[in-house]
């Protein structure tokens, strides 16, 4: 009798453990200034409170020369408050002039977003300069 009572409880626990948490919404976009073909993507958390996996693909200038970056972005997350993101992540955090710094600002409205982006490494004189972006939700994060 105890086995029959325990089986439904175990089944419920197993079903709960097998459920994967929501992954968030992936946004992909382009820049309205800067080099043609530069792109930006990121993932908005399901609760709408953070942005992660920010990825820049395109050109920036290092020591006065134009260089192509395949896909780069910060490991950290940006906070979102009332649909607005405004933050700076430097990696490593205390890296000084040799740190990669990423600035992201913008407004998320439903399935669209727009804002500004900049990344730089001061010691290497590398800079994307401030770029304006527009992005749209393309589906769940992978």
């Amino acid at each position: 009798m105890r086995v029959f009572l325990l089986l439904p409880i175990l089944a419920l626990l197993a079903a709960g453990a097998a459920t994967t948490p929501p992954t968030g919404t992936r946004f992909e976009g382009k820049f309205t200034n800067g080099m043609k073909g530069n792109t930006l993507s990121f993932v908005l958390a399901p609760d709408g409170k953070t942005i992660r996996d920010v990825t820049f693909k395109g050109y920036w200038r290092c020591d006065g020369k134009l260089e192509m970056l395949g896909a780069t972005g910060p490991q950290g997350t940006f906070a979102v408050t009332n649909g607005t993101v405004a933050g700076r992540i430097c990696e490593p955090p205390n890296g000084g002039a040799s740190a990669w710094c990423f600035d992201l600002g913008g407004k998320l409205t439903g399935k669209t977003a727009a804002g500004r982006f900049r990344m730089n490494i001061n010691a290497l004189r590398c800079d994307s300069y401030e770029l304006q972006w527009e992005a749209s939700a393309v589906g769940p994060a992978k």
Side-chain angles (χ1 to χ4, degrees):
M1 179 74 161
R2 289 183 200 171
V3 172
F4 290 113
L5 292 174
L6 189 58
L7 285 177
I9 293 170
L10 290 175
L12 284 173
L13 289 174
T19 307
T20 57
T23 58
T25 303
R26 181 168 184 73
F27 282 76
E28 293 181 357
K30 61 183 180 181
F31 294 96
T32 58
N33 65 335
M35 299 295 292
K36 185 177 181 177
N38 287 1
T39 62
L40 180 78
S41 63
F42 58 87
V43 175
L44 177 65
D47 63 6
K49 293 183 180 180
T50 58
I51 287 176
R52 64 175 170 83
D53 296 339
V54 174
T55 303
F56 170 85
K57 292 181 185 177
Y59 291 92
W60 70 335
R61 293 206 174 270
C62 280
D63 202 20
K65 297 176 185 158
L66 196 59
E67 291 186 8
M68 173 67 164
L69 291 175
T72 191
Q75 299 286 323
T77 60
F78 291 92
V80 178
T81 305
N82 296 324
T84 300
V85 59
R88 178 177 176 86
I89 296 174
C90 290
E91 295 175 342
N94 298 318
S98 63
W100 281 67
C101 292
F102 302 88
D103 292 290
L104 182 68
K107 186 76 176 160
L108 292 92
T109 310
K111 294 185 181 280
T112 62
R116 59 174 181 73
F117 173 82
R118 180 182 179 197
M119 66 179 194
N120 67 312
I121 305 172
N122 286 335
L124 299 178
R125 298 186 328 174
C126 295
D127 205 324
S128 69
Y129 301 101
E130 188 164 296
L131 301 170
Q132 303 299 314
W133 56 267
E134 298 173 345
S136 299
V138 295
K142 297 177 183 175

